[in-house]
Structures are given as C-alpha cells and as structure tokens.
Amino acid sequence: MLALAEVLDRDGRVRRSLPVSSWPLRLGRAIDNDLVLDDPHVASHHARVEPGAAGGLEVVALPGINGLQLGRRRIAPGGRAALDGADGTFGLGQTRVRLRLPGEALAPERPLARAGALWPALGAAIAFWLWVLVDHAVELDPGSRPSEWIAPLVAVPGALLLWTTLWALASKLFQHRLDFVAHLRIAGLGALAIEVAAFVLPWCAALSGWALPSRLAGGVSLLLVLWVVMAHARVVLPLQRRALAVLASAAAMAGGALLLTLNQQRHDRWFAELYTSTLPPPWLMWAPRVSPGQFMDEAQDLRPRLQEAVREAEAKRRDTADDDEI
C-alpha cells in the first residue's frame, strides 16, 4: 500500500478511508474516480494526487469551478501544489481529505475523556442550590408569602439542569458522547463560584473599608461567567483550545469595555456604585473605627456632589415633562 486516503468529518474524525495502491489518485463525483465523493460542490473529476517532478506528492486541481483548499491557500482550477507541509490534508468543495503515507510520524495517543464520578458533580450542584436558598432566606423580608420560595426551590435547579442538558447535547453532537456529568460539574462549580464572589467581595469592602473589592465585583462575575462558558466549550471542542482562548480573551475585553461604558452612562463613574443588601455584624469589621462626629464631618464632603446630582435629576425630569407636553 502506497498511502491511505481518508475522508474527514467536520470534527476531524475519519468518515471513510481508501487504500492507495497506485498513482495517480483521482477524486471526484464520477464513479470512475478512485475516491468517489458525494458532495455537490465537487466536480465530476475534481482533483488528482500524483508524484511531483521534484519528489514528494502534488495535488492537481482539475478544470472546474471551486478548485482546492490547501491549508490557507486556494488552488485555482488547473493549478497544482505540493502536499509537503500541509499534513496531507486538502479540501474539495465542502469535503476534507487527508492522505497518510507509510512511515509518517503519528501524534501521540490521547487519553480518553473521563467524565469523573457523579457524586462530586452532584455535590457542586447541591452546594450551589443550598447557597441560593440560604441567601434567599437572609434577604427575604419577615412575613413573606410562601410563593416567594418557588423560584429558589424549583426554578434554580431547573435552570441548572436545562443548562447542563443543552451543553451535554452539544457534546453529543460534536464528540458523539453525552458528557452530562462533566458539564454538571462545570455548571455547579461555576455557579457556586459566581455566587460566592458576589457575596464575598462586597463583604470584604464592608469589613475593610476598601472600596476596590466591591468595585471589582461586576468584573469578577463577568470573568467567571466567561470561564464557565469556555470550560463547557472545551469539553465540546477539545481540539479547538487555542481558538477558544482567543475567543475568550476577545469576549473578556469586549465585555469589560461594555461594563465600564454602562457604568459611566448610569452612574457617571467607571465602576458600579458601592452597594450590598446585607451588612456584616460590627464585631467582624476590621476597618479602623471612627467616631460619629468624624463620620458626619467626612460626610459633609458628599453634600456638593449630592446637590449636583439632585439638580441634574430635576433638570432631566423637567425636560421629560416638557417633551411629554409637546
């Protein structure tokens, strides 16, 4: 056998193979070709692989419309190119063909993707659910109706299950395996990390008196969401890690720029306003304490800014009222 011609799926798996016992190797839709391709974008006699004058193999694009794709190069109909340095892979229409030669170096064996045990993944999901329930109980007003527990009790686990199922179906589509446990672990740990960060950073600001942790809470949540999505995507497309890293970097920069812009428009500042719905007990605070008099003196510095904000809000209200009258 001189070579092995393989027709590849879009995910790189071999769909069909043909041993090559003599040159040239003819490819096209006509049944008199050596490798018959069922692709409407391929000509009846589309390409030919043969030994080149300088040694090695060359692929020839026969007369037609679409030509060939060799790496990032397009070979016009009637052209030819050496297969050296292209990993023996070239495109005809929407079909990819790989030519393997005897003695070529093979990529090392890759370990099987293992989903891991079910209980750690289930534990991460349950920990996230319990965190949401406790957080809801702390923020709930006394005397609230029982119906207000429907969302944390039913909607939250339902949404987590739906999210995991959709990513598992994507793994089934691209990797031919469901990978439900792997996606459940990523979703549970990621959701728990987002909730913990949203709680810990404002509390660190309240305990320490430093504004920075609270101002960074939105950006940290954005990065964690991107990490969760990229972790899911790496399970679905394990061979596209470099492309996914580039995409994640671009998404982080675009998301950060959008977040800063929205904060500037809404609050006239780059970072979100300092806010937390619950304050830590005073005995936990490790920020330097100030007397009530010093606090009132320092609060006076806020008066001009607050008065300016009131004037701007009043002006906007008058402009809106005038527009409505018109």
Side-chain angles (χ1 to χ4, degrees):
M1 185 174 64
L2 299 176
L4 183 67
E6 298 174 334
V7 179
L8 304 179
D9 276 333
R10 60 184 176 181
D11 56 358
R13 296 175 181 269
V14 178
R15 188 172 65 196
R16 185 159 53 97
S17 61
L18 172 72
V20 180
S21 57
S22 63
W23 302 114
L25 171 67
R26 298 169 299 170
L27 306 94
R29 282 190 295 128
I31 62 173
D32 59 346
N33 288 286
D34 301 306
L35 183 57
V36 180
L37 302 175
D38 183 17
D39 185 339
H41 303 283
V42 171
S44 57
H45 298 88
H46 197 103
R48 185 175 68 245
V49 179
E50 60 188 18
L57 293 176
E58 290 183 345
V59 59
V60 181
L62 299 177
I65 298 175
N66 294 315
L68 300 172
Q69 191 71 31
L70 186 63
R72 296 185 177 180
R73 295 171 51 199
R74 181 179 181 276
I75 310 301
R80 63 172 59 220
L83 280 177
D84 299 337
D87 297 329
T89 304
F90 55 95
L92 303 81
Q94 292 185 336
T95 303
R96 282 197 306 154
V97 175
R98 179 172 61 197
L99 199 66
R100 296 178 55 189
L101 301 175
E104 68 179 14
L106 298 177
E109 178 186 8
R110 291 186 299 171
L112 287 171
R114 303 189 184 278
L118 173 62
W119 290 112
L122 193 59
I126 293 175
F128 162 68
W129 188 29
L130 292 178
W131 181 282
V132 171
L133 292 177
V134 172
D135 184 65
H136 184 75
V138 170
E139 295 187 356
L140 203 62
D141 294 331
S144 299
R145 294 172 297 178
S147 60
E148 297 188 16
W149 282 95
I150 295 178
L153 283 173
V154 179
V156 169
L160 186 66
L161 180 62
L162 177 62
W163 174 271
T164 303
T165 302
L166 291 176
W167 280 106
L169 291 176
S171 290
K172 182 65 174 178
L173 177 63
F174 289 96
Q175 295 299 318
H176 309 288
R177 57 177 184 269
L178 205 59
D179 280 339
F180 183 86
V181 174
H183 288 295
L184 179 63
R185 182 174 62 251
I186 293 170
L189 289 176
L192 181 61
I194 293 170
E195 288 290 327
V196 170
F199 171 82
V200 168
L201 291 175
W203 265 51
C204 286
L207 292 172
S208 64
W210 301 334
L212 183 62
S214 182
R215 296 191 189 281
L216 294 179
V220 171
S221 297
L222 173 64
L223 292 178
L224 288 173
V225 170
L226 287 176
W227 174 83
V228 171
V229 173
M230 288 301 108
H232 283 302
R234 288 180 64 176
V235 174
V236 175
L237 300 171
L239 299 180
Q240 304 297 329
R241 296 194 173 192
R242 180 176 299 179
L244 291 175
V246 173
L247 181 61
S249 301
M253 291 187 289
L258 179 61
L259 186 63
L260 293 175
T261 302
L262 292 177
N263 287 334
Q264 182 65 26
Q265 291 179 347
R266 295 173 181 174
H267 312 297
D268 290 330
R269 59 174 70 90
W270 293 112
F271 297 98
E273 58 185 345
L274 300 177
Y275 173 78
T276 179
S277 58
T278 56
L279 290 174
W283 58 271
L284 284 178
M285 302 186 70
W286 35 284
R289 288 170 171 77
V290 297
S291 64
Q294 181 182 352
F295 173 79
M296 294 303 298
D297 292 339
E298 294 177 354
Q300 292 297 324
D301 297 336
L302 298 175
R303 182 183 296 274
R305 295 169 55 188
L306 293 176
Q307 291 175 339
E308 179 64 24
V310 170
R311 285 193 294 269
E312 292 180 357
E314 183 64 23
K316 291 180 180 178
R317 187 189 66 79
R318 287 196 301 268
D319 293 340
T320 303
D322 294 341
D323 293 340
D324 291 341
E325 292 177 359
I326 295 174

